[in-house]
């Protein structure tokens, strides 16, 4: 410990812990666990617990993904913020849509770039119907179940009206949870004269000009944080710890194995999520 650190009358500069939440939520990538609660938990815990940060800033760039992982990550952030009395700011980069906006609502204030995309407060289920394709190629689908709903929404069988009705009920229930989360976090800030929960999106400039209440203003992280906490505020980023192998760009067996068909499908799904917002 240095002499300056030991002197009680020397005032330290405040610092803000920064956490980057980037990518589709709950979708793995080759060599990476993706944006999930399990992957982010150690980083979030360190950001709130090391020293006494003046605030925690979330750098968000996500088109959404798993509602469960969104809720788990946001819930962890809120629990620590409340326990330690630390304010949280969210800064939107390209997009904070769907689950990405769920994460943004974990903050006390949400800031965006004028061209950021925010909103998409809805739930979606997408897939393919391959029953006619396999039929044309002489392929038979053989499914045996114990339980009438076990083959629910099988993409290799014709779609059933009762399955679609059941799926819509599930999506509606998830949508209710999403709306409740946004309303509990944004409260009276939200516009009361319009429906913000249709899945529509806005740019940061539109969200502010139309007084939606989805964001608190237009700002970039460093200048805004220094405006709030002082020019001498230090910005301290927190990121996953990298192994020695990864620091030198090496791939070990486990990472090589991650590049399987399943991981490639996840990567394709992630690209489709980004593409919805032109990214």
């Amino acid at each position: 410990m240095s002499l300056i650190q030991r002197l009680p009358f020397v005032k330290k500069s405040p610092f803000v812990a920064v956490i980057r939440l980037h990518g589709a939520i709950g979708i793995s990538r080759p060599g990476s666990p993706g944006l999930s609660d399990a992957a982010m938990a150690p980083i979030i815990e360190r950001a709130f617990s090391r020293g006494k940060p003046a605030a925690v800033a979330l750098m968000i760039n996500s088109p959404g993904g798993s509602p469960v992982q969104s809720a788990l990550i946001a819930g962890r952030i809120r629990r620590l913020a409340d326990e330690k009395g630390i304010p949280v700011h969210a800064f939107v980069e390209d997009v904070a849509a769907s689950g990405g906006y769920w994460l943004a609502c974990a903050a006390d204030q949400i800031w965006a770039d004028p061209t950021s995309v925010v909103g998409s407060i809805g739930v979606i289920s997408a897939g393919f119907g391959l029953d006619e394709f396999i039929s044309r190629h002489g392929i038979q689908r053989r499914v045996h179940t114990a339980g009438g709903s076990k083959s629910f929404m099988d993409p290799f069988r014709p779609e059933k009206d009762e399955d679609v009705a059941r799926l819509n009920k599930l999506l509606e229930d998830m949508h209710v949870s999403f709306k409740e989360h946004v309303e509990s976090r944004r409260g009276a800030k939200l516009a009361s004269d319009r429906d913000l929960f249709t899945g529509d999106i806005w740019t940061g400039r539109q969200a502010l000009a139309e007084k939606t209440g989805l964001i608190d203003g237009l700002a970039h992280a460093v200048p805004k944080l220094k405006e709030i906490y002082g020019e001498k505020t230090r910005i301290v980023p927190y990121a996953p710890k990298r192994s020695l192998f990864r620091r030198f760009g090496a791939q070990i067996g486990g990472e090589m194995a991650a590049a399987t068909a399943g991981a490639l499908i996840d990567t394709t799904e992630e690209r489709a999520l980004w593409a919805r917002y032109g990214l």
Side-chain angles (χ1 to χ4, degrees):
M1 180 180 292
S2 69
L3 176 61
I4 291 179
Q5 288 176 311
R6 290 199 301 268
L7 294 175
F9 51 81
V10 176
K11 187 176 180 180
K12 296 180 181 179
S13 299
F15 75 94
V16 175
V18 177
I19 303 169
R20 177 167 293 280
L21 300 172
H22 176 86
I25 302 165
I27 293 181
S28 63
R29 294 179 291 279
S32 170
L35 183 51
S36 66
D37 182 58
M40 295 306 303
I43 303 165
I44 295 171
E45 298 282 345
R46 288 201 306 272
F48 277 95
S49 302
R50 287 194 174 177
K52 187 167 178 57
V56 169
L58 311 175
M59 306 298 294
I60 298 177
N61 198 9
S62 174
S66 165
V68 174
Q69 293 302 317
S70 302
L72 289 172
I73 295 170
R76 183 180 298 277
I77 291 168
R78 280 318 317 160
R79 174 178 60 79
L80 291 167
D82 293 340
E83 285 178 0
K84 298 177 181 295
I86 297 174
V88 180
H89 300 269
F91 292 90
V92 182
E93 295 183 340
D94 295 284
V95 59
S98 194
Y101 187 71
W102 192 314
L103 297 181
C105 284
D108 300 295
Q109 292 181 307
I110 301 174
W111 310 95
D113 182 85
T115 56
S116 298
V117 174
V118 297
S120 190
I121 305 171
V123 183
I124 186 172
S125 174
F128 298 94
L130 301 173
D131 52 299
E132 292 186 9
F133 175 81
I134 64 173
S135 177
R136 283 199 302 268
H137 289 79
I139 302 170
Q140 295 181 347
R141 175 68 165 159
R142 296 173 180 172
V143 179
H144 308 281
T145 69
S149 297
K150 196 63 180 177
S151 61
F152 172 72
M153 296 300 292
D154 187 331
F156 295 99
R157 287 182 168 184
E159 195 170 60
K160 299 178 183 177
D161 290 340
E162 57 267 32
D163 283 358
V164 174
R166 174 62 176 149
L167 177 61
N168 286 334
K169 285 185 178 180
L170 295 173
L171 297 179
E172 285 295 332
D173 191 56
M174 294 177 190
H175 195 201
V176 168
S177 295
F178 197 171
K179 290 188 287 186
E180 289 176 345
H181 172 67
V182 174
E183 289 172 337
S184 69
R185 295 298 307 147
R186 299 298 294 171
K189 293 180 179 180
L190 295 173
S192 59
D193 60 347
R194 61 191 300 182
D195 186 358
L196 299 172
F197 305 128
T198 63
D200 200 359
I201 56 175
W202 294 262
T203 65
R205 195 193 319 274
Q206 289 172 336
L208 190 63
E210 296 177 21
K211 299 180 180 179
T212 62
L214 295 175
I215 65 173
D216 293 284
L218 304 176
H220 292 172
V222 173
K224 175 54 70 172
L225 292 171
K226 289 193 173 186
E227 175 189 324
I228 297 172
Y229 299 103
E231 280 298 321
K232 293 185 178 180
T233 299
R234 293 176 293 122
I235 308 301
V236 181
Y238 284 80
K241 293 181 178 179
R242 296 195 302 169
S243 67
L244 183 63
F245 284 100
R246 298 213 38 198
R247 289 176 193 173
F248 291 98
Q251 285 188 310
I252 58 176
E255 291 178 324
M256 295 289 285
T260 61
L264 293 175
I265 290 173
D266 282 349
T267 301
T268 302
E269 290 180 351
E270 180 177 14
R271 289 307 311 154
L273 282 171
W274 285 108
R276 290 182 61 210
Y277 307 102
L279 300 169

